[in-house]
């Protein structure tokens, strides 16, 4: 459902393009790690991945499961609620590990949230939390770095700005780009793994942002 919804909505709000590294592969049982900049980017990333034939399980904020219709569909399709700052937070890694064992792709946002900036500009991914590294070490799954740019042109900033952005996006049709990098295995050390994963996602984001001519992509 999420992929079908993304396929319908994303073309209506922007112009999406997708690139992949020569060695990129979305093999069964892989972890997809993407940068998180906007409420719009999960739909954008899903639409891009669906173009490539991938329909991942998504690790998302548990609050979405409280929405009557959406919550039931999310649960039925195996998506994974993340209870932040809650003793149930560890359950998300258990569910993700089981999904990977079943050969499903798992999409994770290692930053754990979106930036609080009010502007629509791009910026490199923020600090990663340890969940991605722990999941990779626990399962041995390869990590596929994904960078997206342009989502903040759809919606960003305050609630009022987000609503205005969504309302005007079909008229503005901003450019959006997703880049899929080549998979890699994380090193054994958790801290080193987290650093390595962030660097790979940053490289993928930089490629995506450069496609849109974003100045941040060319910064040192």
């Amino acid at each position: 459902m999420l992929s079908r919804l993304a396929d319908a909505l994303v073309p209506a709000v922007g112009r999406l393009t997708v690139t992949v590294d020569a060695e990129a592969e979305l093999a069964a049982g892989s972890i997809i790690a993407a940068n998180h900049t906007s409420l719009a980017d999960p739909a954008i990333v899903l639409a891009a991945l669906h173009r490539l034939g991938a329909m991942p399980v998504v690790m998302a904020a548990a609050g979405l499961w409280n929405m009557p219709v959406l919550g039931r569909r999310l649960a039925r399709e195996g998506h994974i609620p993340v209870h932040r700052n809650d003793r149930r937070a560890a359950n998300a890694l258990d569910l993700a590990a089981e999904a990977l064992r079943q050969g499903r792709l798992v999409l994770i946002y290692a930053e754990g949230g979106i930036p609080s900036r009010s502007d629509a500009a791009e910026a490199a991914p923020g600090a990663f939390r340890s969940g991605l590294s722990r999941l990779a070490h626990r399962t041995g799954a390869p990590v596929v770095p994904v960078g997206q740019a342009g989502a903040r042109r759809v919606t960003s900033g305050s609630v009022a700005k987000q609503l205005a952005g969504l309302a005007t996006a079909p008229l503005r049709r901003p450019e959006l780009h997703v880049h899929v990098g080549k998979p890699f295995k994380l090193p054994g050390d958790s801290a080193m793994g987290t650093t390595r994963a962030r660097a790979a996602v940053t490289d993928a984001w930089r490629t995506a942002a450069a496609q849109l001519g974003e100045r941040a992509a060319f910064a040192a």
Side-chain angles (χ1 to χ4, degrees), residues 67-121:
M67 301 174 69
V69 176
L70 179 60
R72 287 195 297 272
R73 294 298 295 268
L74 290 170
R76 187 180 307 144
E77 295 175 10
H79 299 290
I80 300 168
V82 179
H83 297 269
R84 296 190 180 96
N85 302 315
D86 187 293
R87 59 185 176 83
R88 294 171 292 175
N91 293 346
L93 290 184
D94 293 337
L95 293 171
E98 179 58 28
L100 291 168
R101 279 192 288 268
Q102 293 174 2
R104 303 195 69 176
L105 296 164
V106 173
L107 172 59
I108 184 171
Y109 289 96
E111 293 164 273
I114 59 177
S116 58
R117 294 183 293 109
S118 60
D119 62 278

Side-chain angles (χ1 to χ4, degrees), residues 91-172:
N91 293 346
L93 290 184
D94 293 337
L95 293 171
E98 179 58 28
L100 291 168
R101 279 192 288 268
Q102 293 174 2
R104 303 195 69 176
L105 296 164
V106 173
L107 172 59
I108 184 171
Y109 289 96
E111 293 164 273
I114 59 177
S116 58
R117 294 183 293 109
S118 60
D119 62 278
E122 289 291 325
F128 275 20
R129 299 188 180 187
S130 63
L132 168 59
S133 181
R134 287 186 285 137
L135 180 61
H137 293 153
R138 176 174 170 178
T139 62
V143 177
V144 180
V146 169
Q148 62 77 27
R152 291 186 67 80
R153 299 178 181 184
V154 177
T155 178
S156 59
S158 66
V159 173
K161 285 188 67 176
Q162 290 184 50
L163 292 174
L166 284 172
T168 60
L171 298 175
R172 297 182 288 111

Side-chain angles (χ1 to χ4, degrees), residues 4-16 43 47 51 169-170 173 176:
R4 290 195 297 272
L5 186 61
D7 289 344
L9 290 177
V10 171
V13 300
R15 294 166 287 164
L16 174 63
R51 286 189 188 182
R173 294 188 53 74
L176 315 167

